[in-house]
Amino acid sequence: MRADRLVSLVLLLRQRGLLTADTLARELEVSTRTVLRDIEALSSAGVPVYAERGRHGGFALSPGFRTELTGLNHDEALALLAAGSGRGEQVFGLGSALASAMRKVLDALPESHRATASDAVQRFLVDPETDLLSRRQVTEEVPDTTMFEVRRAVLAGHKLRIHYAATGQAPQWRTVDPIGLVTVRDRGYLLATRAGADRTYRLSRVLAAEELPETAQRPNRVDLDRIWRERSARFLSGGDHVTVLVRVNPARREDLLDTALAVRAEDPDADGWLRLEVTYQDSRHAEWALWQLGTDAEALAPQSLRTSLRDRAAAFAARYGEPL
């Protein structure tokens, strides 16, 4: 862990020049005292780092010092930097590791390409926190310690013990055989089996986790994309899910999709609106979701949903029909 931090410290100084101890501490997510100890360790190891005193002082490397990290061409590095500008790494607790990797990618470039790549990647933005309507994208939080145990068990192929809070149930401990991790729309999922049966766990509902020493019962090779498609299909065809035919104002299409589990069909309607067939968790979920859209959406089927929305609208009108 410290060795990685020392490499990151050197790369920061190489790429950004003179930096204060406070700035380095923020970048590396450690204390200022730790940074000072690391600077001393680098000096003792022969790395030419020196301090500049005064109001605008800090730490820097001697001109011309270079670490030996090679092997990436300009486009390869640019692709990694662009991919790293998204927020998916937050789901699996790899934000700090990604920041460190991006510094190494930049350092791997020849001097002549480094400035060009740094400027080019500023022209790419992947999954910003808000959309054009200022709706904030919410990334579900998973404690670092919990995510570390889950990730380690997945990669090591060991059994995993999780304290899981399923919807509408009290949290319970269960032991699973982890298969892999999936992120969809900034939500993370653990694909696993339990007593041989397929299980999918939402990471934000894992309250605690413990990697066990026993080997997980799972195949050596895995096709996560295929497994995810199969489980998604089973999820959509099971339980109390309800399929709704709805007309929606195109300006509210994304609002509709944000609340639906899946879209089964979509076609333009005669008046310029859109006609979609979407799936909801259950009838209450469908009623709530379409109510949020007001007159910008109309449920065409099932009739029971139309009736529920009409009755709700009538009750609402009755409540506010008479002036105070």
Side-chain angles (χ1 to χ4, degrees), residues 135 246-249 251-260 273 276 278 280 286-299 309 312:
R135 295 172 300 188
V246 59
R247 294 175 69 251
V248 65
N249 184 330
R252 303 298 301 277
R253 176 183 180 275
E254 294 303 318
D255 295 329
L256 174 70
L257 298 188
D258 283 346
T259 61
W273 278 32
L276 293 93
V278 294
Y280 288 102
E287 181 182 339
W288 170 86
L290 294 182
W291 182 260
Q292 311 307 308
L293 299 177
T295 57
D296 284 326
E298 178 189 1
L309 288 168
R312 177 184 279 213

Side-chain angles (χ1 to χ4, degrees), residues 79-270:
L80 287 174
L81 290 168
S85 65
R87 294 172 15 257
E89 77 281 356
Q90 299 174 10
V91 177
F92 298 145
L94 293 171
S96 297
L98 179 64
S100 175
M102 291 303 100
R103 288 192 286 270
K104 293 177 182 178
V105 168
L106 273 178
D107 198 76
L109 291 175
E111 188 74 34
S112 58
H113 290 168
R114 194 175 304 130
T116 304
S118 295
D119 178 71
V121 78
Q122 295 177 34
R123 312 296 174 178
F124 301 154
L125 179 60
V126 181
D127 286 337
E129 291 189 358
T130 60
D131 63 15
L132 285 176
L133 299 179
S134 296
R135 295 172 300 188
R136 187 175 182 83
Q137 303 275 358
V138 179
T139 301
E140 297 182 337
E141 298 292 333
V142 182
D144 288 344
T145 52
T146 299
M147 194 63 247
F148 176 76
E149 290 291 317
V150 172
R151 194 170 65 240
R152 189 168 63 177
V154 168
L155 296 178
H158 289 168
K159 288 184 178 293
L160 179 67
R161 187 167 177 259
I162 58 175
H163 195 214
Y164 190 72
T167 304
Q169 300 180 23
Q172 295 181 357
W173 284 99
R174 55 198 74 186
T175 299
V176 302
D177 295 299
I179 295 174
L181 295 168
V182 175
T183 175
V184 180
R185 293 186 178 180
D186 288 341
R187 292 178 178 176
Y189 298 89
L190 168 67
L191 305 187
T193 60
R194 184 182 177 206
D198 291 344
R199 294 289 185 269
T200 302
Y201 300 101
R202 196 154 157 179
L203 290 176
S204 61
R205 294 175 182 160
V206 178
L207 307 180
E210 177 188 2
E211 179 193 12
L212 301 178
E214 293 86 3
T215 301
Q217 301 300 310
R218 65 181 193 180
N220 292 329
R221 299 183 63 84
V222 64
D223 184 346
L224 280 185
D225 187 55
R226 176 185 58 78
I227 293 174
W228 181 255
R229 289 197 306 269
E230 290 174 353
R231 294 194 181 188
S232 296
R234 288 201 299 270
F235 176 76
L236 292 174
S237 62
D240 298 323
H241 297 165
V242 59
T243 298
V244 175
L245 182 62
V246 59
R247 294 175 69 251
V248 65
N249 184 330
R252 303 298 301 277
R253 176 183 180 275
E254 294 303 318
D255 295 329
L256 174 70
L257 298 188
D258 283 346
T259 61
L261 293 179
V263 178
R264 295 182 177 272
E266 178 176 356
D267 296 292
D269 215 353

